């Protein structure tokens, strides 16, 4: 083995995402000064994750999907833990990180799994066969069904946007057709928000794990807004129940 | 003390950020379906944090600031730890949370502190007096000076946008004037990116802690992009140095 | 500036905590094989944080303090968020990290602050003056007062152990005297668990921040036990309230 | 559906781990005051995770395993990120949480997987068949092989302790025999620390996920010690490379 060199260290940290040099910042090869003022935040999200820039039609779909999943209230564990963290004497960034940390396979992974499921159908597999195979693995079909909503208010606007984008040739519509085939097959279980955003991300060509990645960016907004609101309310060490419920009342598991 | 009620529990989790009911999702009082397709992601960030919607001019400034700080390469600890996390067998959300967790008072707090500093000057205090007071507290003046950049490439585009916005009556320019006064006072130490975004966030009326909050949302994009790239490179348990550097070579502290 | 070398990188990561080389692991200069089987876990905690080994009397006090604060039930936000995380599809380590992340200045910092407070009195300051000064800063006197307990069941066993240790010359008793002086001064507000462990850690010579560090190690046990129990109960995305409480019932903040 | 009650909320948070009431703290049914001063920290770890107390022989094995994996230096990502976090202006608890968050399937999961692997053999399966099946799934056999150590210095002391415990009837030796059978089969690839602690945890009857849980408790000690050392060295925003390595030198990935 030859002696290690400083170049080995630099290679170890090599990246195609950005290049930083004195007075130079390039994101995916573009000088940052060319992006500021001309590119939207959503456009830069696309650029950073994929290396190119979206067309206006693609960007419109991405914005819509990012907007749709920012929040689902304090019943969502990611939101609740961020609010609790904000009362414990940590930084606002730590409160956000606490919430994001919970967007795991069960809480944040449904979109990722649903892109993978729809991809199988978009690639030519029979919906019935695909649904049967996924259901054999888990009773939860990712992207379908919801505890609260029989018709999720985000469903129609998102799917309509994809419909239009397919008509305009922005996307090819294969994920939308796949999702509708599944929805018909398992009626009356409806497509949910993870399913709708999976349609968008799949149509746009994002690989499944980035469906979770994009959900993280979107939900971070709600997590931050809730942590910020809570931090202004003066509570300390907020538990899941108000102090009026005595610990003695907690049942034995 | 009267008996606790279910209402006590519901009040404990009360919020003005969002309202969720069967088939209803409202963000700051607006049905989510009215936002999807019509509001940008940056616009919804503003809505969630402040409760109203930005004017086009305000939104343009917010987009620019969010775009400007997405990434500063693997020398930044937040980026490096997310890349390392991505090789340890955790979810992509856990990798992002790991990076965000590091955006503390030193790494992510300069913008927050700089908004507070500039606010004092914008409110009428003498720049010289304010700078002296802050310098007595710490040798680092938040928002000014940088290890790598003598002129940060993000400075001119951002400040020019604020200049235009002040000319158009979108903002009043008081934070921009304050930043320029400080820059002149401590020349040749330049304003840095935290200072430039502090000018934007201050002009837009965000309270100082939200400068950190917005930086968290912005930097999350770079953190995600780097974690995602690293996760495709097949490394396991990536340390800070390549394995060619033997542990025996590590010096005693 | 001369060229960077591999040695610079190795120095950057230099440490006196451990030395790792092929077939060699030393913790604070001691071969790990000499510790396994002969040193307790608590003894190695002391070694790693301080560089030497405790006497049996010191170790006994450290064990007692570590035992005393492992858990305070699901009303504690650190415990609750770990249980919630365990239902979201993340690893058990991520659930523990989520809980530990909440042990900030308010939730985990009281012991740290109380060591600092008692140190002032142990070093000769007047209790009355010290208490007045701390109370001017915050209405919460760290280490004193509790929501639930009028007499914390952990108080007497811990203080008795310190009493004995002082009688045996293991510690000098100055932190214990300081705590009793404060308790008398502000009666009937009692010393709480943070105060009792602060007495132990102060007597043993730990600097204040390590009082929080040791609390983190101790509470991690309860956090892990709760996350593990919850992970066996089959819930998914556990929120702070049971699903029987509808989101519609959540009050406006 | 009947109206929700406060009892529903209390049941939602029910637990068998601890009971907290005014002036009462019970851990797994034992008053905490009976444990302070009489039970070791390791003993309470066992109690909290399993509900009963270990025999002295069992406790000795548990202490040894916990001691053996506290640290593996700054090449380990969990240690490095905690040191980096400690320079970013976050609490010591946040730095520890950052390190623990990285102990995922790849970094912290080998012990968990190895307990599962050895359990198959201990339960009667053929070593050759088990190894072949695990190797078909991944080229890494959990618990065997190491980058640095040909003979891990922790191997002999740990396995000798188990040997003695088996001779004394403390454990039945089936996991030790399984590990030795695998080691012989794949020689010269040696058993590593995850394998050795898996033998201990398997012999003691811990389910596989708790092997990771116990590793988290053990490694937290090293993570804390390193974060604490780093926090005293005055660095700010410590990156993975020293600043003498310019960002321009970082290679393109």
């Amino acid at each position: 083995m030859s002696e290690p060199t400083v170049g080995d260290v630099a290679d170890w940290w090599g990246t195609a995402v950005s290049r930083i040099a004195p007075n130079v910042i390039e994101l995916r090869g573009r000088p940052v000064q060319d992006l500021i003022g001309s590119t939207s935040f959503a456009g830069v999200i696309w650029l950073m994750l994929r290396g190119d820039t979206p067309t206006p039609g693609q960007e419109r779909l991405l914005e819509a999907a990012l907007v749709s999943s920012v929040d689902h209230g304090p019943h969502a564990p990611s939101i609740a833990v961020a609010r609790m963290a904000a009362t414990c004497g940590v930084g606002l960034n730590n409160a956000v990180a606490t919430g994001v940390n919970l967007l795991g396979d069960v809480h944040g992974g449904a979109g990722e799994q649903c892109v993978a499921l729809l991809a199988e159908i978009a690639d030519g597999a029979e919906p019935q066969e695909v649904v049967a195979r996924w259901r054999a693995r888990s009773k939860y079909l990712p992207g379908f069904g919801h505890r609260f909503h029989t018709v999720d208010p985000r469903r129609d606007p998102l799917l309509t946007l994809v419909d239009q984008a397919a008509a305009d040739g922005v996307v090819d519509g294969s994920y939308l057709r796949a999702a509708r085939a599944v929805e018909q097959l398992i009626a009356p279980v409806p497509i949910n928000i993870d399913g709708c955003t999976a349609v968008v991300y799949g149509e746009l060509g994002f690989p499944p794990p980035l469906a979770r990645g994009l959900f993280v960016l979107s939900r971070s907004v709600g997590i931050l807004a809730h942590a910020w609101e809570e931090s202004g309310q003066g509570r300390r060490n907020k538990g899941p129940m108000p102090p009026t419920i005595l610990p003695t009342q907690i049942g034995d598991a």
Side-chain angles (χ1 to χ4, degrees), chain A residues 199-229:
Chain A
V199 167
V200 175
Y201 298 141
E203 293 282 356
L204 293 175
F206 284 97
L210 285 183
R212 188 189 316 193
L214 290 163
F215 177 61
V216 162
L217 297 184
S218 170
R219 181 54 59 94
S220 292
V221 177
I223 290 172
L224 173 62
H226 279 278
W228 170 241
E229 184 192 55

Side-chain angles (χ1 to χ4, degrees), chain A residues 121-188:
Chain A
I121 299 172
D123 288 355
E126 273 303 310
Q128 201 148 1
E129 184 270 325
V130 171
V131 168
R133 194 153 28 76
W134 280 73
R135 280 208 160 147
R137 254 186 278 161
S138 160
K139 66 175 172 170
Y140 298 97
L141 200 66
F144 294 86
H146 200 278
R147 291 192 294 197
F148 300 132
H149 308 301
T150 49
V151 180
D152 192 303
R154 298 163 293 189
R155 178 193 184 283
D156 288 351
L158 277 175
L159 298 192
T160 302
L161 284 171
V162 179
D163 247 339
Q164 291 167 350
D168 296 345
V170 172
V171 298
D172 73 7
S174 58
Y175 282 77
L176 180 58
R177 285 190 298 274
R180 283 189 169 138
V182 172
E183 206 179 29
Q184 211 165 0
L185 208 61
I186 65 174

Side-chain angles (χ1 to χ4, degrees), chain A residues 3-247:
Chain A
E3 283 291 296
T5 67
V6 165
D8 291 342
V9 181
D11 284 348
W12 186 246
W13 287 101
T15 174
V17 174
S18 54
R19 195 173 79 84
I20 314 292
N23 302 339
V24 174
I25 298 175
E26 288 174 12
L27 304 178
R28 296 285 187 180
R30 319 228 170 176
V32 69
Q33 60 269 34
D34 296 355
L35 301 167
I36 295 170
S38 67
T39 309
S40 73
F41 188 41
V44 164
I45 291 172
W46 178 297
L47 172 68
M48 291 291 283
L49 294 177
R50 305 180 55 153
D52 59 1
T53 46
T55 64
Q58 290 171 326
E59 188 175 325
R60 192 160 178 241
L61 285 181
L62 178 59
E63 299 262 19
L66 289 170
V67 163
S68 68
S69 41
V70 290
D71 191 11
H72 205 262
H75 263 284
S78 53
I79 298 293
V81 299
R83 294 192 75 117
M84 292 159 84
T87 70
C88 293
V90 301
L92 198 50
N93 63 301
N94 305 120
V96 174
T98 300
V100 169
N101 216 30
L102 263 66
L103 303 175
D105 286 349
V106 172
H107 191 0
E112 174 174 354
Q113 295 149 29
C114 188
V115 173
L117 182 156
L118 297 178
E120 296 183 22
I121 299 172
D123 288 355
E126 273 303 310
Q128 201 148 1
E129 184 270 325
V130 171
V131 168
R133 194 153 28 76
W134 280 73
R135 280 208 160 147
R137 254 186 278 161
S138 160
K139 66 175 172 170
Y140 298 97
L141 200 66
F144 294 86
H146 200 278
R147 291 192 294 197
F148 300 132
H149 308 301
T150 49
V151 180
D152 192 303
R154 298 163 293 189
R155 178 193 184 283
D156 288 351
L158 277 175
L159 298 192
T160 302
L161 284 171
V162 179
D163 247 339
Q164 291 167 350
D168 296 345
V170 172
V171 298
D172 73 7
S174 58
Y175 282 77
L176 180 58
R177 285 190 298 274
R180 283 189 169 138
V182 172
E183 206 179 29
Q184 211 165 0
L185 208 61
I186 65 174
V189 176
I191 193 166
N192 62 27
I193 182 62
D194 299 311
C196 292
T197 54
V199 167
V200 175
Y201 298 141
E203 293 282 356
L204 293 175
F206 284 97
L210 285 183
R212 188 189 316 193
L214 290 163
F215 177 61
V216 162
L217 297 184
S218 170
R219 181 54 59 94
S220 292
V221 177
I223 290 172
L224 173 62
H226 279 278
W228 170 241
E229 184 192 55
E230 183 71 52
S231 71
Q233 295 181 342
R235 291 194 186 107
R236 289 163 61 90
N237 294 332
K238 175 180 179 140
M241 297 161 282
T244 46
I245 297 184
L246 290 179

